[in-house]
Amino acid sequence: MTAFLLTIFMEAATPTFISEYDLRPNILFVDYLKYPKEVTSMLLAGYKLDLLLGLSAVLLISWLFAKVLRASSGTSLRPNLVPSVVCSLIVVILCSLGIRSSFGHRPANPAKIAFSKDLLVNDLSLNSLYSVLYALYSSSRHEKSVQAYGRMEMDKVLEEIRDDMALPKEQFISDEIPTLHRAKWVEPLAKPMNLVIILQESLGAEFVGALGGTPVTPELDKLSSEGIWFDNLYATGTRSARGIEAVVTGFTPTPARSVVKLPKSQSDFFSIAELLKRRGYDTSFIYGGEAHFDNMRQFFAANGFDNIIEEQDFLNPQFSGSWGVSDGDLFQRAHQEFSKSADKPFFTMVFTSSNHSPFEFPENKIELYEQPRDTVNNAVKYADYAMGEFFRKAKQSNYWDNTLFLVVADHNSRVRGANLVPIEYFHIPALILGGSVEPQIYTRLASQIDLLPTLLGLMGIPDQRPSTGHDLFRPDIDQIPGRAIMQYNSTQAYMRGDDVVIMELDKKPSLYKRTASGLAPSDQAKPDLIDRALAYSVWSASAYQQRLYRLPKKEQAPFSEAPTPQG
């Protein structure tokens, strides 16, 4: 009876989940259960009808099922032992075969029934309870695996990764940390620059007028001409934790959960905060919600962030919703914190939340883009308004001239489509601006993982780091092919130019061409590209498992060895 009720509940919850995420319930369904306050508030605010219909369906079907069981038990005759045992054994065998869905030595898994390039179509042939249970099993298994998409010897892996980093062998400075290097092309500055990263919740290119999207970001569109505007940059994933992973640590994605949530990365894992902290920076994280969400508080506190400001630290906010205080309150607090800074340099990550279902924001702040009020387009427009107000204040502040700002999305609002990886929905905006930044448009293909080394380069910091991304302004960047790595559920894409390698669990990598209508199978053989994609997959899992993505201990390589700033 319990299994039946659970199955009915999962199927009742499925239509709303598919509408939001374009997939059957998966590991995200379980992850969200860890945050009952946020999820309950979100459901009550934005999904009342879905909740009512779903619970009504579960109660009605449960009542009918119980009624049938009672009727059957009341009329049943005393069973004959031998036929009952035989029938029971037959039922157990048939159920076992049904669960395995295979006569082979291994049971079936979702890859066996992946007959379409549309992940949702493949998902629909399963049931939601199985999808969630398999996602739990798969998540646990692949967190321990170093061969998520195939096998490759570690010597070959390192050769491929280092070649992609485009650094001579002598620039790698540690046998224990294979990707550790210095950015020798970077010229140190006379005075340390502050750094502010503004991570915009769910701001895909489809909402950005300057990228050809819906015109609901007038403030960002105006700012795009005042700094370095990236119009060909791609997110590494579809969840906030994945965006944090890419922007704050520069780590490449895996089929497992983001390193923000994984146990082996909860200490001694590289982050830009830890690097800057070693240089004497004050480091902080400012968020309008509860910082425990997505395990952010634990990960940040253990990896270089000294001060964490969250919802409970905002006194008398103008507006609070399901996900915390409004972006207006968030940016006001950030401005206050930055204005208090003295001579000591600071690094802060500001993470917005107003553009999140159920899309709650203050009244009378913007002219609504559409009706009804609580829609994603209106929420994006409000979040953009709040950011614009912040920059108007920042330009008049004491910190503007010596601060580098990065505005970047964590991911798109909703990734969907009929391709194995719907690449167009990974396209996100990014903008670097500040008092000393010269405006330009950066058109080369780039990834979120490239932003960390690019920021350090602009700040004049050549210090050692294990990040594999490209400094997009290094002198030889024109000789380095741009590429992007995108994780979509358990599928990964490696894109270089119009060539895209798609890697699925338990399948061989496939090569596709990106076209105007989506991905099309490629008739070209490019084993070098497939090797590069596979190498990143194996490297990411190995670096996490073997703790290879970190800074050396301070006593091993003191940061005082960094080149003396030029006056």
Side-chain angles (χ1 to χ4, degrees):
M1 181 67 177
T2 302
F4 176 78
L5 291 179
L6 190 56
T7 301
I8 295 302
F9 169 78
M10 290 303 304
E11 292 305 318
T14 294
T16 300
F17 193 92
I18 288 177
S19 176
E20 187 70 24
Y21 300 108
D22 214 38
L23 290 168
R24 273 193 184 273
N26 52 24
I27 192 66
L28 181 62
F29 191 92
V30 180
D31 280 348
Y32 268 163
L33 296 180
K34 299 174 185 176
Y35 312 106
K37 173 185 175 294
E38 290 88 345
V39 172
T40 301
S41 298
M42 179 178 68
L43 291 175
L44 292 176
Y47 300 91
K48 293 186 182 71
L49 181 59
D50 306 68
L51 201 59
L52 177 62
L53 292 176
L55 291 176
S56 298
V58 170
L59 291 174
L60 177 61
I61 295 173
S62 301
W63 176 76
L64 291 173
F65 186 62
K67 188 175 181 180
V68 170
L69 287 180
R70 283 195 299 270
S72 301
S73 62
T75 58
S76 61
L77 299 176
R78 184 176 181 180
N80 190 301
L81 183 60
V82 174
S84 297
V85 171
V86 172
C87 289
S88 297
L89 287 174
I90 292 174
V91 168
V92 168
I93 293 171
L94 290 176
C95 287
S96 299
L97 290 175
I99 292 170
R100 286 179 53 83
S101 299
S102 169
F103 289 103
H105 71 286
R106 290 183 178 178
N109 60 50
K112 294 283 188 182
I113 48 82
F115 60 90
S116 170
K117 66 178 184 178
D118 187 330
L119 292 186
L120 176 58
V121 172
N122 293 333
D123 262 8
L124 291 176
S125 59
L126 305 170
N127 69 67
S128 292
L129 182 58
Y130 173 82
S131 295
V132 170
L133 293 176
Y134 188 85
L136 285 169
Y137 158 74
S138 180
S139 176
S140 172
R141 179 167 69 98
H142 289 292
E143 283 171 19
K144 300 174 183 177
S145 172
V146 297
Q147 298 168 340
Y149 294 112
R151 297 178 181 273
M152 182 176 284
E153 294 297 325
M154 187 52 65
D155 287 347
K156 174 66 172 174
V157 169
L158 292 179
E159 179 185 335
E160 290 285 345
I161 298 301
R162 288 177 169 181
D163 185 65
D164 189 71
M165 293 170 67
L167 296 174
K169 186 176 181 179
E170 58 270 17
Q171 286 198 25
F172 294 97
I173 57 179
S174 171
D175 293 331
E176 294 181 1
I177 309 173
T179 58
L180 192 71
H181 66 283
R182 288 188 187 276
K184 291 191 174 182
W185 58 89
V186 173
E187 289 292 333
L189 303 179
K191 182 180 179 181
M193 293 189 71
N194 306 316
L195 175 63
V196 174
I197 295 177
I198 298 173
L199 196 64
Q200 289 276 23
E201 172 69 52
S202 304
L203 186 63
E206 63 182 300
F207 302 105
V208 180
L211 294 177
T214 306
V216 288
T217 57
E219 299 294 341
L220 184 59
D221 296 343
K222 286 186 290 187
L223 289 169
S224 68
S225 63
E226 300 178 17
I228 303 170
W229 179 244
F230 298 87
D231 69 358
N232 198 16
L233 184 127
Y234 289 80
T236 60
T238 61
R239 308 307 311 158
S240 296
R242 189 69 76 191
I244 292 170
E245 172 186 74
V247 174
V248 175
T249 76
F251 196 66
T252 42
T254 70
R257 293 173 294 172
S258 159
V259 293
V260 176
K261 299 182 176 184
L262 298 182
K264 287 186 178 180
S265 47
Q266 298 309 305
S267 64
D268 201 23
F269 195 86
F270 173 71
S271 77
I272 193 171
E274 177 62 29
L275 187 151
L276 294 177
K277 179 180 177 180
R278 291 193 183 190
R279 272 198 158 240
Y281 278 63
D282 283 332
T283 57
S284 61
F285 172 57
I286 306 178
Y287 179 52
E290 296 186 3
H292 71 87
F293 187 79
D294 268 351
N295 201 53
M296 293 186 294
R297 169 181 280 280
Q298 180 174 336
F299 179 81
F300 288 153
N303 290 301
F305 287 81
D306 287 328
N307 188 27
I308 294 177
I309 298 173
E310 57 182 322
E311 183 177 9
Q312 65 182 6
D313 301 312
F314 288 77
L315 301 177
N316 302 316
Q318 294 183 5
F319 180 87
S320 293
S322 301
W323 291 92
V325 304
S326 70
D327 285 1
D329 293 295
L330 174 74
F331 281 119
Q332 178 61 29
R333 178 62 182 268
H335 175 66
Q336 292 170 357
E337 293 294 321
F338 303 158
S339 297
K340 292 188 298 187
S341 62
D343 292 333
K344 193 174 182 182
F346 66 85
F347 160 62
T348 300
M349 189 174 85
V350 180
F351 187 18
T352 73
S353 60
S354 288
N355 180 30
H356 196 298
S357 175
F359 309 119
E360 301 163 295
F361 54 91
E363 298 279 358
N364 304 319
K365 295 295 183 181
I366 60 168
E367 181 180 343
L368 297 181
Y369 177 78
E370 62 190 6
Q371 291 292 342
R373 180 179 185 276
D374 297 335
T375 67
V376 63
N377 284 326
N378 288 333
V380 169
K381 191 172 182 181
Y382 167 73
D384 180 71
Y385 157 83
M387 183 201 64
E389 287 293 297
F390 164 74
F391 276 111
R392 274 186 277 277
K393 295 175 183 176
K395 289 175 183 178
Q396 306 301 317
S397 72
N398 62 332
Y399 58 83
W400 172 259
D401 288 338
N402 196 50
T403 302
L404 196 67
F405 297 87
L406 167 66
V407 180
V408 63
D410 57 352
H411 57 84
N412 199 347
S413 176
R414 180 181 166 223
V415 179
R416 68 271 191 191
N419 289 296
L420 287 170
V421 178
I423 288 172
E424 65 274 20
Y425 290 107
F426 285 77
H427 188 198
I428 58 171
L431 172 68
I432 296 175
L433 72 166
S436 61
V437 174
E438 295 291 330
Q440 64 170 288
I441 298 176
Y442 194 93
T443 59
R444 287 169 50 86
L445 174 63
S447 168
Q448 266 181 327
I449 66 169
D450 298 324
L451 294 173
L452 185 152
T454 301
L455 291 170
L456 293 176
L458 292 171
M459 295 169 70
I461 297 177
D463 295 356
Q464 54 194 347
R465 77 290 297 264
S467 55
T468 59
H470 300 148
D471 176 347
L472 299 175
F473 295 102
R474 54 187 283 186
D476 59 348
I477 192 63
D478 289 338
Q479 282 80 54
I480 304 172
R483 49 88 190 94
I485 305 172
M486 293 155 278
Q487 191 74 37
Y488 184 48
N489 200 24
S490 60
T491 303
Q492 188 173 111
Y494 182 96
M495 179 170 67
R496 189 168 71 193
D498 289 329
D499 293 314
V500 181
V501 177
I502 297 292
M503 295 184 292
E504 301 175 80
L505 296 175
D506 304 316
K507 285 189 173 186
K508 290 183 178 180
S510 301
L511 187 63
Y512 290 80
K513 276 286 184 183
R514 191 179 179 194
T515 69
S517 57
L519 296 179
S522 176
D523 56 3
Q524 295 180 308
K526 295 195 174 182
D528 60 326
L529 189 62
I530 290 177
D531 283 349
R532 182 62 51 85
L534 183 57
Y536 263 107
S537 167
V538 176
W539 162 250
S540 302
S542 300
Y544 166 74
Q545 284 293 339
Q546 299 175 36
R547 300 182 184 272
L548 305 178
Y549 198 77
R550 56 184 172 85
L551 291 174
K553 301 297 183 184
K554 292 182 182 180
E555 60 270 17
Q556 291 178 294
F559 272 61
S560 58
E561 292 178 4
T564 303
Q566 303 297 311

